[in-house]
Coordinates of all heavy atoms in Angstrom, one line a residue:
M1 N 122.7 102.4 68.2 CA 122.3 102.7 69.6 C 121.2 101.7 70.0 O 120.3 101.4 69.3 CB 121.8 104.2 69.6 CG 121.7 104.7 71.1 SD 121.2 106.4 71.1 CE 119.8 106.2 72.2
Q2 N 121.4 101.3 71.2 CA 120.5 100.3 71.8 C 119.3 101.0 72.5 O 119.5 102.0 73.2 CB 121.3 99.5 72.9 CG 120.5 98.3 73.3 CD 121.3 97.5 74.4 OE1 122.3 98.0 74.9 NE2 120.7 96.5 74.9
I3 N 118.2 100.5 72.2 CA 117.0 101.1 72.9 C 116.6 100.2 74.0 O 116.4 99.0 73.8 CB 115.8 101.3 71.9 CG1 116.2 102.3 70.8 CG2 114.5 101.7 72.6 CD1 115.3 102.4 69.6
I4 N 116.5 100.7 75.2 CA 116.1 99.9 76.3 C 114.6 100.1 76.7 O 114.2 101.2 76.9 CB 117.0 100.3 77.5 CG1 118.5 100.1 77.2 CG2 116.6 99.5 78.8 CD1 119.4 100.7 78.2
P5 N 113.8 99.1 76.6 CA 112.4 99.2 77.0 C 112.3 99.4 78.5 O 112.9 98.6 79.3 CB 111.8 97.9 76.5 CG 112.8 96.9 76.4 CD 114.1 97.7 76.3
L6 N 111.6 100.5 78.9 CA 111.4 100.8 80.3 C 110.0 100.8 80.6 O 109.2 101.4 79.8 CB 112.1 102.1 80.6 CG 113.6 102.2 80.4 CD1 114.0 103.6 80.7 CD2 114.3 101.3 81.4
H7 N 109.6 100.3 81.7 CA 108.2 100.3 82.1 C 108.1 100.6 83.6 O 109.0 100.3 84.4 CB 107.6 98.9 81.9 CG 107.9 98.3 80.6 ND1 107.2 98.6 79.5 CD2 108.8 97.3 80.2 CE1 107.7 98.0 78.5 NE2 108.6 97.2 78.9
P8 N 107.0 101.3 84.0 CA 106.8 101.5 85.4 C 106.8 100.2 86.2 O 106.4 99.2 85.7 CB 105.4 102.2 85.5 CG 105.2 102.7 84.1 CD 105.9 101.8 83.2
N9 N 107.4 100.2 87.4 CA 107.6 99.1 88.3 C 108.8 98.2 87.9 O 109.1 97.3 88.6 CB 106.3 98.2 88.4 CG 105.2 99.0 89.1 OD1 105.4 99.7 90.0 ND2 104.0 98.8 88.5
D10 N 109.5 98.5 86.8 CA 110.7 97.8 86.5 C 111.8 98.4 87.5 O 111.7 99.5 87.9 CB 111.2 98.1 85.1 CG 110.5 97.2 84.1 OD1 109.8 96.4 84.4 OD2 110.8 97.5 82.9
R11 N 112.8 97.5 87.8 CA 113.9 98.0 88.6 C 115.1 98.0 87.7 O 115.3 97.1 86.9 CB 114.1 97.1 89.8 CG 112.9 97.2 90.8 CD 113.3 96.7 92.1 NE 114.0 95.4 92.0 CZ 114.7 94.8 92.9 NH1 114.8 95.4 94.1 NH2 115.3 93.7 92.8
I12 N 115.9 99.1 87.8 CA 117.1 99.2 87.0 C 118.3 99.3 87.9 O 118.3 99.9 88.9 CB 117.0 100.4 86.0 CG1 116.6 101.7 86.8 CG2 116.0 100.1 84.9 CD1 116.6 102.9 85.9
Q13 N 119.4 98.8 87.3 CA 120.7 99.0 88.0 C 121.5 99.9 87.2 O 121.7 99.8 86.0 CB 121.4 97.6 88.0 CG 122.4 97.5 89.1 CD 123.0 96.0 89.2 OE1 122.5 95.1 88.5 NE2 124.0 95.9 90.0
L14 N 122.0 101.0 87.8 CA 122.8 102.0 87.1 C 124.3 101.8 87.3 O 124.7 101.2 88.3 CB 122.4 103.4 87.6 CG 120.9 103.8 87.4 CD1 120.7 105.2 87.8 CD2 120.4 103.6 86.0
K15 N 125.1 102.3 86.3 CA 126.5 102.2 86.4 C 127.1 103.0 87.6 O 128.0 102.5 88.3 CB 127.1 102.7 85.1 CG 126.9 101.8 83.9 CD 127.3 102.4 82.6 CE 126.8 101.6 81.4 NZ 126.9 102.4 80.2
K16 N 126.5 104.2 87.8 CA 126.9 105.0 88.9 C 126.0 104.9 90.1 O 124.8 105.1 89.9 CB 127.0 106.5 88.5 CG 128.2 106.8 87.6 CD 128.2 108.3 87.4 CE 129.4 108.7 86.5 NZ 129.3 110.1 86.1
P17 N 126.5 104.5 91.3 CA 125.6 104.4 92.4 C 125.1 105.8 92.9 O 125.8 106.8 92.7 CB 126.5 103.7 93.5 CG 127.9 103.9 93.1 CD 127.9 104.1 91.6
H18 N 124.0 105.8 93.5 CA 123.5 107.0 94.2 C 124.4 107.3 95.3 O 125.1 106.5 95.9 CB 122.1 106.7 94.7 CG 121.2 107.8 95.0 ND1 120.6 108.0 96.2 CD2 120.9 108.9 94.2 CE1 119.9 109.2 96.1 NE2 120.0 109.7 94.9
P19 N 124.4 108.6 95.8 CA 125.3 108.9 96.9 C 125.1 108.1 98.2 O 126.0 107.9 99.0 CB 125.0 110.4 97.2 CG 124.5 110.9 95.9 CD 123.8 109.8 95.2
C20 N 123.9 107.5 98.3 CA 123.6 106.7 99.5 C 124.2 105.3 99.3 O 124.2 104.5 100.3 CB 122.1 106.5 99.7 SG 121.3 105.5 98.5
G21 N 124.8 104.9 98.2 CA 125.4 103.7 98.0 C 124.7 102.6 97.2 O 125.2 101.7 96.7
S22 N 123.4 102.8 97.0 CA 122.6 101.9 96.3 C 122.6 102.2 94.8 O 122.7 103.4 94.4 CB 121.1 101.9 96.7 OG 120.3 101.2 95.9
N23 N 122.6 101.2 93.9 CA 122.6 101.5 92.5 C 121.4 100.9 91.8 O 121.3 100.7 90.6 CB 123.9 101.1 91.8 CG 124.1 99.6 91.8 OD1 123.4 98.9 92.5 ND2 125.0 99.2 91.0
V24 N 120.4 100.6 92.7 CA 119.1 100.0 92.1 C 118.0 101.0 92.3 O 117.8 101.6 93.4 CB 118.8 98.7 92.9 CG1 117.5 98.1 92.3 CG2 119.9 97.7 92.7
F25 N 117.3 101.2 91.3 CA 116.2 102.2 91.2 C 114.9 101.6 90.7 O 115.0 100.8 89.8 CB 116.6 103.4 90.4 CG 117.9 104.2 90.9 CD1 119.1 103.7 90.6 CD2 117.7 105.3 91.6 CE1 120.3 104.3 91.1 CE2 118.9 106.0 92.1 CZ 120.1 105.4 91.9
L26 N 113.8 102.1 91.3 CA 112.5 101.6 90.8 C 111.9 102.7 89.9 O 111.9 103.8 90.3 CB 111.6 101.4 92.0 CG 110.2 101.0 91.8 CD1 110.1 99.6 91.2 CD2 109.4 101.0 93.1
I27 N 111.4 102.3 88.8 CA 110.8 103.2 87.8 C 109.3 103.5 88.2 O 108.6 102.6 88.4 CB 110.9 102.7 86.4 CG1 112.3 102.5 86.0 CG2 110.1 103.6 85.4 CD1 112.5 101.9 84.6
L28 N 109.0 104.8 88.3 CA 107.6 105.2 88.6 C 106.9 105.6 87.4 O 105.7 105.3 87.2 CB 107.7 106.4 89.6 CG 108.1 106.1 91.0 CD1 107.9 107.4 91.8 CD2 107.4 105.0 91.7
R29 N 107.5 106.4 86.5 CA 106.8 106.9 85.4 C 107.8 107.1 84.2 O 109.0 107.4 84.5 CB 106.3 108.3 85.7 CG 105.2 108.8 84.9 CD 104.5 110.0 85.5 NE 105.4 111.1 85.7 CZ 105.7 112.0 84.7 NH1 105.3 111.8 83.5 NH2 106.6 112.9 85.0
V30 N 107.4 106.7 83.0 CA 108.2 106.8 81.9 C 107.7 107.7 80.8 O 106.5 107.7 80.5 CB 108.4 105.4 81.2 CG1 109.3 105.4 80.0 CG2 108.9 104.4 82.3
G31 N 108.5 108.7 80.4 CA 108.1 109.6 79.3 C 109.3 110.1 78.7 O 110.3 109.3 78.6
S32 N 109.4 111.3 78.3 CA 110.6 111.9 77.8 C 111.6 112.1 79.0 O 112.8 112.1 78.8 CB 110.4 113.2 77.1 OG 109.8 114.1 78.0
E33 N 111.0 112.1 80.2 CA 111.8 112.0 81.4 C 111.2 110.8 82.2 O 110.1 110.5 82.0 CB 111.6 113.3 82.2 CG 112.3 114.5 81.5 CD 112.3 115.7 82.4 OE1 111.2 115.9 83.1 OE2 113.3 116.4 82.4
V34 N 112.1 110.3 83.0 CA 111.8 109.1 83.7 C 111.9 109.4 85.2 O 112.9 109.9 85.7 CB 112.7 107.9 83.4 CG1 112.3 106.7 84.1 CG2 112.6 107.6 81.9
R35 N 110.8 109.1 85.9 CA 110.8 109.3 87.4 C 111.2 108.0 88.1 O 110.6 107.0 87.8 CB 109.5 109.8 87.8 CG 109.5 110.4 89.2 CD 108.4 111.3 89.5 NE 108.4 111.6 90.9 CZ 107.3 111.3 91.7 NH1 106.2 110.9 91.2 NH2 107.4 111.6 93.0
V36 N 112.2 108.0 88.9 CA 112.7 106.8 89.6 C 112.8 107.1 91.1 O 112.9 108.2 91.5 CB 114.0 106.3 89.0 CG1 113.9 105.9 87.6 CG2 115.1 107.3 89.3
I37 N 112.7 106.0 91.9 CA 113.0 106.1 93.3 C 114.2 105.2 93.6 O 114.3 104.1 93.1 CB 111.8 105.6 94.1 CG1 110.7 106.6 94.1 CG2 112.2 105.2 95.5 CD1 109.5 106.3 95.0
C38 N 115.1 105.8 94.4 CA 116.3 105.0 94.8 C 115.8 104.0 95.8 O 115.1 104.3 96.8 CB 117.3 106.0 95.4 SG 118.7 105.1 96.2
E39 N 116.3 102.7 95.6 CA 115.9 101.7 96.5 C 116.6 101.8 97.9 O 116.2 101.2 98.9 CB 116.3 100.3 95.9 CG 115.4 100.0 94.7 CD 114.3 99.0 95.0 OE1 114.5 97.9 95.3 OE2 113.1 99.5 94.9
G40 N 117.7 102.5 97.9 CA 118.5 102.6 99.1 C 117.9 103.6 100.1 O 117.7 103.4 101.3
C41 N 117.6 104.8 99.6 CA 117.2 105.9 100.5 C 115.8 106.4 100.2 O 115.3 107.3 100.9 CB 118.2 107.1 100.4 SG 118.3 107.8 98.7
K42 N 115.1 105.8 99.2 CA 113.7 106.1 98.8 C 113.5 107.5 98.3 O 112.4 108.0 98.3 CB 112.8 105.8 100.0 CG 112.9 104.4 100.6 CD 112.5 103.4 99.6 CE 112.7 102.0 100.2 NZ 112.6 100.9 99.2
R43 N 114.6 108.2 97.9 CA 114.4 109.5 97.3 C 114.0 109.4 95.9 O 114.5 108.5 95.2 CB 115.7 110.3 97.4 CG 116.0 110.8 98.8 CD 116.9 112.0 98.8 NE 117.3 112.3 100.1 CZ 118.5 112.1 100.6 NH1 119.5 111.6 99.9 NH2 118.8 112.3 101.9
D44 N 113.1 110.2 95.4 CA 112.8 110.1 94.0 C 113.5 111.2 93.2 O 113.8 112.3 93.7 CB 111.3 110.2 93.8 CG 110.6 111.5 94.1 OD1 110.5 111.8 95.3 OD2 110.4 112.3 93.2
M45 N 113.7 110.9 91.9 CA 114.4 111.8 91.0 C 113.8 111.7 89.7 O 113.2 110.7 89.3 CB 115.9 111.3 90.8 CG 116.7 111.0 92.0 SD 118.3 110.6 91.6 CE 118.1 108.9 91.1
T46 N 113.9 112.8 88.9 CA 113.4 112.8 87.5 C 114.6 113.0 86.7 O 115.4 113.9 86.8 CB 112.4 113.9 87.3 OG1 111.3 113.8 88.3 CG2 111.8 113.9 85.9
L47 N 114.8 112.0 85.7 CA 116.0 112.0 84.9 C 115.6 112.1 83.4 O 114.6 111.5 83.1 CB 116.8 110.7 85.2 CG 117.2 110.5 86.6 CD1 117.7 109.1 86.8 CD2 118.4 111.5 86.9
D48 N 116.4 112.7 82.6 CA 116.2 112.7 81.2 C 116.4 111.3 80.7 O 117.3 110.6 81.0 CB 117.3 113.6 80.6 CG 117.1 113.7 79.1 OD1 116.2 114.4 78.6 OD2 117.9 113.0 78.4
R49 N 115.4 110.8 79.9 CA 115.4 109.4 79.5 C 116.7 109.0 78.7 O 117.2 107.9 78.9 CB 114.2 109.2 78.6 CG 114.2 107.7 78.1 CD 112.9 107.2 77.7 NE 113.0 105.8 77.3 CZ 112.1 104.9 77.2 NH1 110.8 105.3 77.3 NH2 112.3 103.7 76.8
V50 N 117.1 109.9 77.8 CA 118.3 109.5 77.0 C 119.5 109.3 77.9 O 120.3 108.4 77.8 CB 118.6 110.6 75.9 CG1 119.9 110.3 75.2 CG2 117.4 110.7 75.0
K51 N 119.7 110.3 78.9 CA 120.8 110.2 79.8 C 120.7 109.0 80.7 O 121.7 108.3 81.0 CB 120.9 111.4 80.7 CG 121.4 112.6 79.9 CD 121.5 113.8 80.9 CE 121.8 115.1 80.1 NZ 121.5 116.3 80.9
L52 N 119.5 108.7 81.1 CA 119.2 107.5 82.0 C 119.6 106.2 81.3 O 120.3 105.4 81.8 CB 117.8 107.5 82.4 CG 117.4 106.3 83.3 CD1 118.0 106.4 84.7 CD2 115.9 106.1 83.4
E53 N 119.1 106.1 80.0 CA 119.4 104.9 79.2 C 120.9 104.7 79.1 O 121.4 103.5 79.2 CB 118.8 105.0 77.9 CG 117.3 104.8 78.0 CD 116.6 104.6 76.6 OE1 117.3 104.5 75.6 OE2 115.3 104.6 76.6
K54 N 121.7 105.7 79.0 CA 123.1 105.6 78.8 C 123.8 105.1 80.1 O 124.8 104.5 80.1 CB 123.7 106.9 78.4 CG 123.6 107.2 76.9 CD 124.2 108.5 76.6 CE 123.8 108.9 75.1 NZ 124.1 110.3 74.9
S55 N 123.1 105.4 81.3 CA 123.7 105.1 82.5 C 123.2 103.8 83.1 O 123.6 103.4 84.2 CB 123.6 106.2 83.5 OG 122.2 106.5 83.8
I56 N 122.3 103.1 82.4 CA 121.8 101.8 82.9 C 122.8 100.7 82.6 O 123.3 100.5 81.5 CB 120.4 101.5 82.2 CG1 119.3 102.4 82.6 CG2 120.1 100.0 82.5 CD1 118.0 102.2 81.9
K57 N 123.1 100.0 83.7 CA 123.9 98.8 83.6 C 123.1 97.6 83.2 O 123.5 96.8 82.4 CB 124.6 98.6 84.9 CG 125.7 97.6 85.0 CD 126.3 97.5 86.4 CE 127.3 96.4 86.5 NZ 127.7 96.3 87.9
K58 N 121.9 97.5 83.8 CA 121.1 96.3 83.7 C 119.7 96.6 84.1 O 119.5 97.3 85.1 CB 121.7 95.3 84.6 CG 121.2 93.9 84.6 CD 122.0 93.0 85.5 CE 121.3 91.7 85.8 NZ 121.9 90.9 86.8
V59 N 118.7 96.0 83.4 CA 117.3 96.1 83.8 C 117.1 94.8 84.6 O 117.3 93.7 84.0 CB 116.4 96.3 82.6 CG1 114.9 96.2 83.1 CG2 116.7 97.6 81.9
L60 N 116.6 94.9 85.8 CA 116.3 93.7 86.6 C 114.9 93.1 86.2 O 113.9 93.9 86.4 CB 116.4 94.0 88.0 CG 117.7 94.6 88.5 CD1 117.6 95.0 90.0 CD2 118.9 93.7 88.3
P61 N 114.8 91.9 85.7 CA 113.5 91.3 85.4 C 112.6 91.3 86.6 O 113.1 91.1 87.8 CB 113.8 89.9 84.9 CG 115.3 89.9 84.6 CD 115.9 91.0 85.5
Q62 N 111.3 91.3 86.4 CA 110.4 91.3 87.5 C 110.6 90.0 88.4 O 110.5 90.1 89.6 CB 108.9 91.3 87.0 CG 108.6 92.5 86.2 CD 108.2 93.7 87.0 OE1 107.8 93.5 88.1 NE2 108.3 94.9 86.4
S63 N 110.9 88.9 87.7 CA 111.1 87.6 88.4 C 112.3 87.6 89.4 O 112.3 86.8 90.3 CB 111.2 86.5 87.4 OG 112.3 86.7 86.6
E64 N 113.2 88.5 89.2 CA 114.4 88.6 90.0 C 114.2 89.5 91.2 O 115.1 89.7 92.0 CB 115.6 89.0 89.2 CG 116.2 87.9 88.4 CD 117.5 88.3 87.8 OE1 118.2 89.3 88.2 OE2 117.9 87.7 86.8
Q65 N 113.0 90.0 91.4 CA 112.8 90.9 92.5 C 112.9 90.1 93.8 O 112.4 89.0 93.9 CB 111.5 91.6 92.4 CG 111.5 92.7 91.4 CD 110.3 93.6 91.4 OE1 109.6 93.6 92.4 NE2 110.1 94.4 90.4
E66 N 113.4 90.8 94.8 CA 113.6 90.1 96.1 C 112.5 90.5 97.0 O 112.0 91.6 97.0 CB 114.9 90.4 96.7 CG 116.1 89.8 96.0 CD 117.3 90.8 96.0 OE1 117.4 91.6 96.9 OE2 118.1 90.6 95.1
Ligands
ZN1 ZN1 119.8 106.7 97.3

């Protein structure tokens, strides 16, 4: 199993898009649960870390931020 390092302020791209259509999320807090904000609608969600890691498509490096 792959362990994905996650840090606050990282942006992640998920396999499944949010209902608003965006699939990029900003990480606010990392623990056994991860708090993220949807970049599309700015709603925040708290997700179980294990489930979140499985649904990550890609972690966007800081340097690729627009
Ligand atoms: Zn959204």
Side-chain angles (χ1 to χ4, degrees):
M1 195 178 123
Q2 192 186 1
I3 296 166
I4 301 169
L6 298 173
H7 312 283
N9 296 319
D10 278 354
R11 293 195 316 162
I12 50 173
Q13 201 175 356
L14 300 186
K15 289 170 190 163
K16 282 188 185 174
H18 200 235
C20 73
S22 173
N23 66 347
V24 180
F25 298 81
L26 175 70
I27 296 175
L28 291 185
R29 200 166 59 81
V30 180
S32 58
E33 291 186 321
V34 181
R35 194 159 169 238
V36 298
I37 283 189
C38 172
E39 293 261 289
C41 61
K42 307 295 179 192
R43 286 205 188 106
D44 69 281
M45 307 184 281
T46 303
L47 302 166
D48 181 79
R49 176 158 184 166
V50 175
K51 286 183 192 164
L52 177 69
E53 286 189 7
K54 282 180 188 162
S55 62
I56 289 175
K57 187 178 176 190
K58 187 178 167 188
V59 176
L60 303 174
Q62 299 279 337
S63 58
E64 278 185 25
Q65 285 191 14
E66 291 147 22

